[in-house]
């Protein structure tokens, strides 16, 4: 039987589609562009593209990349912003069989330069023409030149599919090595994820998705690239997050699918009174995750919009976006289970090298299957530490401590590494903050922790040194960190043998009582605010 040119990918839930092999990642937009060329595909409030324009844009950028000599396996960095053009760039990179590496364009320049020195990209694509461009060994494509390419004559290009086992993308996040850690993954993993998770999400060509995820995190694959591949519309939210504004967009854009990490879903929920069918007439599904969500937030949605499907997803980038999912049922006061693995994945709990099967016994969650990453970019020792093989299946050791409930669902308990925490909705390793602070001459050691202040979680840093005059130098070094990692509270302590937990507890108590940013911890356990720390000259 002849294959229909416009058949949707195999992760389509439409039984008339989904029978063909998965398209190359560089051809994600081909089927919807042929079937619905003039349909609105994506909009960011300022710029929008139809499906035909998406595919035409990827062809034009891919042809330009070919002209620069970019080929299979080369790394192409995109300095990503929340703009409708970014999916064009990602898929264009994939048309060349190259490796898509989105980095946050808002990161400090020094941090970006460090990442680029490690990556040695063939091309860096920026959406602006900043006066202080980030240095790179490769070719740079700026905003004005990119606009010219997209507005130029139609281009042709033949897609180079990624061969099995070759990297297709790298996503960076903070990790235990003390520097940004890149998850390197292959096309087959993304195909497997799209197929497995859309069985749960149920995107169709009629779906309208609100995308809140930044493009430098892999949730953007789920809330933008996956629905676009099926002909669904995605709206890219670019405003500062505020509950009332996000709720207004849900209604105005007739959103059917909302995917929001726990922090953002809590903001959207508010007191719950605005979650009505009159204001959200088209909403079909709400999915939250990453962090374990407060049951009160989930219960508010269940009470206010009982016909909306409510999902909780969990899993690290090392297992491709999400690997465990749970549909929320009856209300409860204790945290909901994080669920069961997606189809094609295996989840096991291991303690002291022994697999756990009985309910209530804690163990480390290990996820195995096609979605498990290839490796950490340029960190072979860390890769060897977290990847294990059992019975021919590769598993990722998440470090998350979980247990089974009586029904066999996974329940998250804590992370095994106390340095792993959540700040501003992002999974964060505090070791990166500590490494930067300890790079300052005169610093004995540094203690980084999450504390509660003004009803929100913030980072606190204690610098242990003989002289508190190191604080300006430490403050200057911290400027290499992105905003969400920069400590809100910084304290100096004389050299001490006190337990780190006790030091942090004293500082947290002082920070709740004083609005000061800086504090001094004295030998007699007193904690005093410091008016200001003069910046380094």
């Amino acid at each position: 039987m002849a294959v229909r040119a416009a058949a949707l990918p195999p992760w389509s839930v439409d039984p008339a589609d989904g029978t063909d092999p998965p398209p190359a990642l560089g051809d994600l937009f081909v089927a919807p562009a042929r079937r619905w060329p003039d349909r609105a595909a994506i909009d960011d409030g300022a710029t929008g593209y139809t499906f035909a324009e998406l595919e035409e844009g990827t062809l034009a950028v891919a042809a330009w990349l070919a002209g620069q000599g970019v080929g299979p396996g080369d790394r192409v960095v995109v300095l990503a912003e929340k703009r409708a053009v970014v999916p064009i760039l990602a898929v264009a990179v994939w048309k060349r069989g190259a490796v898509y590496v989105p980095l946050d364009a808002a990161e400090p320049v020094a941090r970006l330069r460090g990442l680029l020195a490690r990556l040695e990209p063939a091309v860096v694509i920026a959406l602006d023409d900043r006066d202080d461009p980030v240095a790179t060994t490769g070719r740079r494509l700026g905003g004005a030149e990119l606009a010219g390419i997209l507005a130029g004559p139609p281009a042709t290009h033949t897609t180079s599919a990624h061969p099995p086992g070759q990297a297709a993308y790298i996503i960076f996040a903070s990790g235990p090595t003390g520097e940004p850690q890149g998850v390197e993954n292959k096309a087959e993993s993304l195909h497997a994820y799209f197929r497995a998770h859309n069985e749960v999400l149920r995107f169709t060509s009629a779906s309208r998705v609100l995308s809140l995820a930044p493009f430098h995190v892999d949730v953007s694959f789920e809330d933008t690239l996956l629905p676009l591949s099926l002909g669904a519309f995605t709206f890219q939210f670019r405003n500062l997050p505020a509950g009332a504004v996000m709720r207004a967009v849900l209604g105005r854009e007739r959103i059917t699918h909302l995917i929001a990490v726990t922090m953002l879903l809590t903001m959207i929920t508010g007191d719950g009174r605005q979650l009505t069918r009159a204001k959200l007439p088209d909403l079909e599904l709400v999915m939250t995750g990453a962090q374990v969500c407060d049951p009160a937030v989930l219960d508010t949605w269940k009470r206010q919009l009982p016909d909306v499907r409510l999902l909780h997803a969990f899993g690290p980038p090392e297992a491709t976006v999400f690997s465990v999912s749970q549909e929320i049922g009856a209300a409860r006061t204790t945290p909901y289970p994080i669920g069961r693995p997606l189809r094609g994945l295996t989840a096991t709990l291991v303690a002291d090298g022994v697999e756990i099967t009985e309910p209530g016994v804690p163990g480390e969650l290990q996820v195995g299957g096609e979605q498990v990453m290839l490796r950490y970019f340029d960190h072979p020792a860390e890769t060897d530490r977290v990847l294990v093989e059992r019975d021919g299946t590769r598993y990722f050791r998440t470090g998350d401590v979980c247990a089974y409930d009586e029904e066999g669902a996974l329940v998250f308990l804590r992370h095994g590494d106390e340095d792993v925490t959540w700040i501003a909705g992002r999974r964060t390793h505090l070791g990166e903050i500590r490494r930067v602070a300890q790079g300052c001459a005169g610093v004995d050691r540094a203690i980084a922790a999450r504390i509660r202040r003004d009803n929100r979680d913030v980072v606190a840093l204690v610098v242990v040194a003989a002289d508190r005059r190191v604080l300006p130098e430490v403050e200057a070094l911290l400027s290499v960190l992105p905003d969400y990692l920069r400590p809100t509270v910084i304290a100096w302590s004389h050299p001490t043998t006190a337990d780190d937990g006790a030091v942090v507890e004293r500082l947290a108590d002082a920070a709740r009582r004083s609005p000061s940013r800086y504090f001094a911890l004295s030998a007699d356990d007193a904690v005093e605010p410091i008016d200001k720390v003069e910046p380094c000259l």
Side-chain angles (χ1 to χ4, degrees):
M1 184 176 69
V3 175
R4 291 183 298 142
L8 293 178
W11 43 86
S12 170
V13 297
D14 186 340
D17 285 299
T19 58
D20 296 337
L25 292 182
D27 289 338
L28 283 181
F29 302 150
V30 168
R34 290 176 179 171
R35 189 177 286 193
W36 305 288
D38 299 323
R39 177 187 288 183
I42 189 169
D43 198 292
D44 62 17
T47 303
Y49 298 97
T50 65
F51 281 103
E53 289 168 339
L54 280 183
E55 179 61 13
E56 290 163 3
T58 64
L59 288 169
V61 176
W64 182 89
L65 290 171
Q68 306 305 309
V70 174
D74 288 337
R75 290 181 287 275
V76 177
V77 165
V78 175
L79 300 182
E81 303 173 27
K82 193 63 173 169
R83 302 260 294 273
V85 72
V86 175
I88 289 176
L89 306 178
V91 176
V93 172
W94 286 334
K95 278 189 182 295
R96 293 299 303 148
V99 184
Y100 166 57
V101 190
L103 301 179
D104 184 0
E107 295 261 18
V109 170
R111 183 180 172 94
L112 285 174
R113 284 179 177 155
L115 286 169
L116 291 172
R118 291 168 58 191
L119 287 162
E120 297 182 331
V123 171
V124 174
I125 303 177
L127 304 186
D128 62 8
D129 291 293
R130 62 181 72 179
D131 294 333
D132 180 20
V134 177
T136 174
T137 55
R139 175 78 156 81
R140 178 183 170 83
L141 174 61
E145 190 177 0
L146 173 61
I149 292 168
L150 294 175
T156 59
H157 183 273
T158 301
T159 295
S160 297
H162 294 85
Q166 180 186 296
Y169 70 84
I170 303 174
I171 292 287
F172 279 90
S174 66
T177 60
E179 62 180 356
Q181 196 160 270
V183 170
E184 197 168 356
N185 218 344
K186 55 191 186 298
E188 305 98 286
S189 295
L190 203 50
H191 285 147
Y193 170 74
F194 283 171
R195 189 193 298 263
H197 212 177
N198 205 45
E199 291 180 358
V200 179
L201 296 167
R202 303 176 195 168
F203 289 131
T204 72
S205 61
S207 299
R208 297 179 64 85
V209 184
L210 178 60
S211 169
L212 296 167
F215 281 109
H216 61 275
V217 302
D218 63 353
V219 179
S220 63
F221 297 157
E222 173 188 40
D223 71 10
T224 298
L225 293 177
L226 169 56
L228 285 176
S229 74
L230 297 168
F233 171 81
T234 72
F235 186 84
Q236 306 296 305
F237 185 85
R238 297 179 63 189
N239 294 3
L240 289 174
V245 178
M246 290 185 281
R247 288 194 300 269
V249 172
L250 285 169
R252 186 192 74 217
E253 296 296 330
R254 308 191 326 277
I255 296 300
T256 62
H257 288 67
L258 166 64
I259 296 173
V261 296
T262 297
M263 180 188 75
L264 294 180
L265 186 65
T266 301
M267 296 172 67
I268 294 169
T269 305
D271 62 11
R273 290 182 294 177
Q274 304 301 315
L275 306 181
T276 66
R277 265 295 168 215
K279 296 193 173 184
L280 305 173
D282 301 282
L283 197 63
E284 300 172 8
L285 175 138
V286 173
M287 195 204 85
T288 190
Q291 246 176 312
V292 174
C293 192
D294 183 346
V297 173
L298 299 173
D299 292 344
T300 299
W301 284 88
K302 293 293 290 184
R303 182 179 66 252
Q304 294 293 108
L305 294 167
D307 57 334
V308 169
R309 294 178 61 231
L310 191 58
L311 300 176
H312 192 290
F314 187 87
E318 290 88 345
T320 313
V321 193
F322 292 116
S323 49
V324 177
S325 180
Q326 171 82 13
E327 185 152 357
I328 302 303
R332 58 192 293 165
T333 56
T334 56
Y336 286 91
I338 59 174
R340 291 174 169 81
L342 298 176
R343 183 166 67 86
L345 288 176
T346 301
T348 63
L349 299 182
V350 178
D352 299 323
V354 177
E355 186 174 336
I356 294 167
T357 57
E358 60 269 31
V361 180
E364 181 190 39
L365 174 63
Q366 299 185 6
V367 179
E370 189 61 47
Q371 289 181 213
V372 172
M373 69 173 180
L374 277 171
R375 63 185 73 88
Y376 285 126
F377 177 75
D378 73 2
H379 279 294
E382 189 64 13
T383 300
D384 292 342
R385 185 183 72 81
V386 300
L387 294 185
V388 296
E389 186 169 323
R390 287 197 303 277
D391 301 324
T393 299
R394 294 168 74 247
Y395 284 80
F396 170 66
R397 299 179 55 194
T398 67
D400 295 314
V401 179
C402 300
Y404 294 114
D405 67 10
E406 294 296 333
E407 286 74 44
L410 291 161
V411 178
F412 177 83
L413 301 177
R414 64 185 185 279
H415 196 280
D417 184 344
E418 293 182 354
D419 276 338
V420 174
T421 188
W422 288 88
I423 300 292
R426 306 190 193 197
R427 185 160 165 154
T428 299
H429 201 286
L430 297 173
E432 188 169 353
I433 304 165
R434 196 165 51 241
R435 179 186 65 85
V436 171
Q438 289 176 171
C440 179
V443 171
D444 238 6
R445 63 191 180 96
I447 306 166
R450 184 187 69 179
I451 65 170
R452 194 77 178 163
R453 190 187 208 192
D454 299 330
N455 295 317
R456 65 190 184 100
D457 293 328
V458 300
V459 175
L461 173 69
V462 179
V463 176
V464 180
D467 192 328
R468 80 179 196 182
R469 285 176 294 183
V470 300
L471 285 181
E473 285 76 13
V474 170
E475 183 77 276
L477 287 176
L478 293 173
S479 66
V480 305
L481 295 172
D483 287 345
Y484 77 95
L485 275 178
R486 289 181 196 166
T488 300
V489 176
I490 302 175
W492 165 81
S493 172
H494 62 86
T496 176
T497 58
D499 175 76
D500 287 359
V503 172
V504 170
E505 187 175 341
R506 289 164 55 202
L507 176 59
D509 182 61
R512 283 190 289 269
R513 290 184 282 104
S514 168
S516 180
R517 172 171 168 77
Y518 306 102
F519 293 85
L521 284 73
S522 63
D524 60 359
D525 288 348
V527 183
E528 299 293 336
I530 301 174
D531 288 339
K532 64 178 180 177
V533 172
E534 295 297 335
C536 289
L537 298 178

